[in-house]
Amino acid sequence: MAFSSETRHLRNYVGGCFVDGGRPFDVVDPATGKVHAIAYEANRPIVDAAVAAARRAVEGEWGRMTLARRRSMLVAVAEGIEKRFDDFLAAEIADTGKPHGLAHHLDIPRGAANFRVFADVIANLPAESFEMDTPDGGRALNYAVRRPLGVVGVISPWNLPLLLMTWKVAPALACGNAVVVKPSEETPSTTTLLGEVMSAVGMPDGVFNVIHGFGPDSAGEFLTSHPGVRAITFTGETRTGAAIMRAAAPTVKALSFELGGKNPAVVFADADLNAAVAGLSRAVFLNTGQVCLAPERIYVERSVFDAFVRGMKARAEALKPGLPEEAGVDFGPLISDEHRQKVLGYYRMAVEDGAQVVTGGGIPALSGEAAGGFFVEPTLWTGLAHDARVCREEVFGPCAAIIPFDSEEEAVRMANDTEYGLAASIWTTNLSRGHRVAAAMEVGICWVNSWFLRDLRTAFGGAKLSGVGREGGVHSVNFYSEPTNICIRL
């Protein structure tokens, strides 16, 4: 499935091969609005076949494979992605419309790196053991062994399709599970392409399966409610997470969710203002704001408020939207026209709620093929009350409200005054304040004087409505495996 200008057909990948069947649906290039691929919706029999193939793999060759061999397979997958780097890059860009430089430097390298990281993590995991006295004066030894869960359902999002899919698949396979992956219907290409890599490196049949489709009464619902699936891992919006939780409840599946956010950033007067502007302009506008960690609320100490706003405005207006391969383009489209209408609705709502539009607020004037793409302008507001709807609800677009504050206590209170709790960033040169305020944030991850700086061994996940559980390093291993305690009387 080398990527070219021709319309591609993305079939379901089950038991080590691509299978026919399923209702076709269009996959649209967001940068042009044109169909670039046809995917095939998995019906219930295809999902059943994928789960059965995964179960056979766990009970067969994959389940009997030594840890050393399993790790070598993960490294081979990473090398396979790198060998076909250009194909993965073209597929990711076609599905998302994101600029070439972003996909080249972030999405594809991290997709490969995830397999290498978890090959190392699983090899360096310590085992737990305890000696104990027995009631009759003897001794006993307790130790734990880890076992895979079995079949894991992976539901991955459209904003970072390869990166976030492999972030789940790699640790699941490292622990010895088999997976059935349902990528977003908006971005199925790189997941399908990974099926080719799995075959090429000799991954046993059924270890990696791909089903295409939608949510309710489609592949997503069939997977999350399937009695043969032991666990579901999902990244996406909170409402979808709640629906998956309901579907999984009757069979009491293990769940790991990274959900929505309304992330705050706090800029103190003693911050390096140039660094704060550079860091937060990247945070707000990277991937057209379609990043779960992006700050949509920025609280700035009043004495530097105007200077900060001027700096952010200049950065926003320097961004260049356009087709991914065009020279200098660093700002892509939103994923779909439907999502664009949602974001534009929030742009209008902000004005209705009294916002002063610092910059943006509409659709950029583009020509050629880009005129059919789903672009919006990078947008900043001031003058909004902290409780305005656009300050409470996740927009998931390239926008932020900038709000002044007068004291550390006020900033902390406003930052935490949300139903979400995914990420935050603090900007200050006061070391004590940085530690103190970061620890006060009710989030899963908080950066100080940085954003999106990730050590893949560390815990990642959200609090409150932003998720259930943690991923990363040993935290992923703890989800994708379960310990059995063995007690030996000595």
Side-chain angles (χ1 to χ4, degrees):
M1 192 181 68
F3 270 68
S4 66
S5 59
E6 298 178 1
T7 300
R8 291 161 291 277
H9 291 263
L10 309 176
R11 295 182 294 163
N12 298 285
Y13 181 75
V14 176
C17 61
F18 290 96
V19 298
D20 293 325
R23 181 181 65 85
F25 62 92
D26 292 342
V27 184
V28 175
D29 178 352
T32 64
K34 296 180 179 179
V35 174
H36 79 89
I38 305 295
Y40 293 84
E41 180 183 10
N43 54 28
R44 194 181 293 274
I46 291 175
V47 176
D48 288 344
V51 174
R55 169 53 58 189
R56 288 194 298 272
V58 173
E59 294 175 349
E61 178 186 359
W62 182 244
R64 295 191 297 268
M65 190 174 289
T66 65
L67 176 59
R69 176 60 180 154
R70 193 162 73 238
R71 290 183 61 233
S72 71
M73 294 295 298
L74 296 181
V75 173
V77 173
E79 292 171 347
I81 294 172
E82 291 162 349
K83 182 178 179 180
R84 299 192 62 180
F85 190 98
D86 290 344
D87 288 337
F88 276 96
L89 181 62
E92 194 83 342
I93 289 173
D95 275 357
T96 64
K98 64 181 60 182
H100 178 279
L102 177 60
H104 186 278
H105 291 103
L106 175 65
D107 297 77
I108 312 307
R110 265 288 304 275
N114 284 333
F115 286 97
R116 283 199 171 88
V117 165
F118 285 103
D120 289 339
V121 167
I122 199 68
N124 294 287
L125 196 68
E128 183 179 77
S129 65
F130 298 97
E131 290 188 54
M132 63 176 287
D133 297 325
T134 62
D136 60 359
R139 302 283 292 166
L141 174 67
N142 291 273
Y143 66 95
V145 295
R146 289 189 174 273
R147 301 166 53 251
L149 299 177
V151 180
V152 175
V154 176
I155 302 178
S156 54
W158 47 257
N159 58 326
L160 299 164
L162 180 68
L163 188 161
L164 291 176
M165 179 269 294
T166 57
W167 175 240
K168 298 173 182 297
V169 168
L173 298 190
C175 290
N177 301 284
V179 297
V180 180
V181 183
K182 194 205 85 66
S184 168
E185 62 273 18
E186 309 278 7
T187 54
S189 296
T190 47
T191 303
T192 307
L193 190 56
L194 187 58
E196 294 187 12
V197 170
M198 293 287 179
S199 291
V201 303
M203 186 67 71
D205 295 347
V207 172
F208 179 82
N209 305 272
V210 180
I211 55 172
H212 297 303
F214 306 87
D217 197 33
S218 186
E221 181 179 331
F222 303 154
L223 180 64
T224 56
S225 62
H226 199 289
V229 175
R230 288 289 311 281
I232 297 290
T233 177
F234 166 74
T235 295
E237 67 173 1
T238 301
R239 285 175 299 178
T240 304
I244 292 172
M245 189 174 285
R246 287 191 294 271
T251 48
V252 197
K253 297 178 185 358
L255 300 174
S256 176
F257 290 165
E258 191 258 283
L259 305 176
K262 192 66 180 178
N263 307 305
V266 180
V267 180
F268 288 95
D270 62 12
D272 179 333
L273 205 59
N274 289 332
V277 167
L280 288 174
S281 60
R282 174 175 176 264
V284 172
F285 302 126
L286 183 74
N287 205 39
T288 322
Q290 299 170 126
V291 179
C292 57
L293 303 167
E296 293 186 356
R297 301 177 289 142
I298 304 177
Y299 301 102
V300 182
E301 197 160 2
R302 197 175 299 274
S303 63
V304 297
F305 182 83
D306 290 342
F308 178 84
V309 171
R310 286 194 299 271
M312 291 289 289
K313 180 178 188 292
R315 291 273 182 163
E317 292 176 352
L319 293 169
K320 181 181 177 181
L323 297 177
E325 299 289 348
E326 288 181 356
V329 166
D330 54 6
F331 189 75
L334 296 173
I335 190 64
S336 66
D337 187 52
E338 179 183 8
H339 188 52
R340 178 166 69 168
Q341 296 309 315
K342 173 194 169 184
V343 171
L344 290 172
Y346 276 107
Y347 283 11
R348 291 189 294 270
M349 184 188 302
V351 174
E352 292 166 1
D353 287 347
Q356 298 171 15
V357 180
V358 174
T359 188
I363 297 173
L366 298 173
S367 60
E369 286 193 316
F374 309 130
F375 292 88
V376 297
E377 292 177 324
T379 299
L380 298 168
W381 305 293
T382 60
L384 281 166
H386 168 68
D387 59 356
R389 279 188 63 185
V390 291
C391 296
R392 310 294 295 177
E393 301 173 12
E394 183 179 38
V395 180
F396 217 62
C399 59
I402 309 175
I403 299 172
F405 70 86
D406 295 300
S407 69
E408 179 181 312
E409 293 74 19
E410 181 188 17
V412 170
R413 177 184 58 77
M414 289 193 295
N416 286 334
D417 183 20
T418 174
E419 294 179 317
Y420 296 101
L422 185 55
S425 64
I426 312 300
W427 300 80
T428 178
T429 56
N430 183 316
L431 181 61
S432 295
R433 172 179 281 153
H435 283 289
R436 182 173 63 246
V437 176
M441 293 293 100
E442 297 170 355
V443 296
I445 184 168
C446 184
W447 289 280
V448 178
N449 296 328
S450 64
W451 177 79
F452 211 1
L453 186 60
R454 290 280 294 120
D455 184 325
L456 303 186
R457 298 168 297 181
T458 61
F460 179 83
K464 299 188 265 190
L465 290 185
S466 289
V468 177
R470 293 292 183 269
E471 297 176 293
V474 68
H475 307 282
S476 290
V477 174
N478 286 338
F479 175 72
Y480 292 110
S481 65
E482 53 192 4
T484 295
N485 185 75
I486 298 174
C487 181
I488 305 292
R489 184 180 179 89
L490 301 177

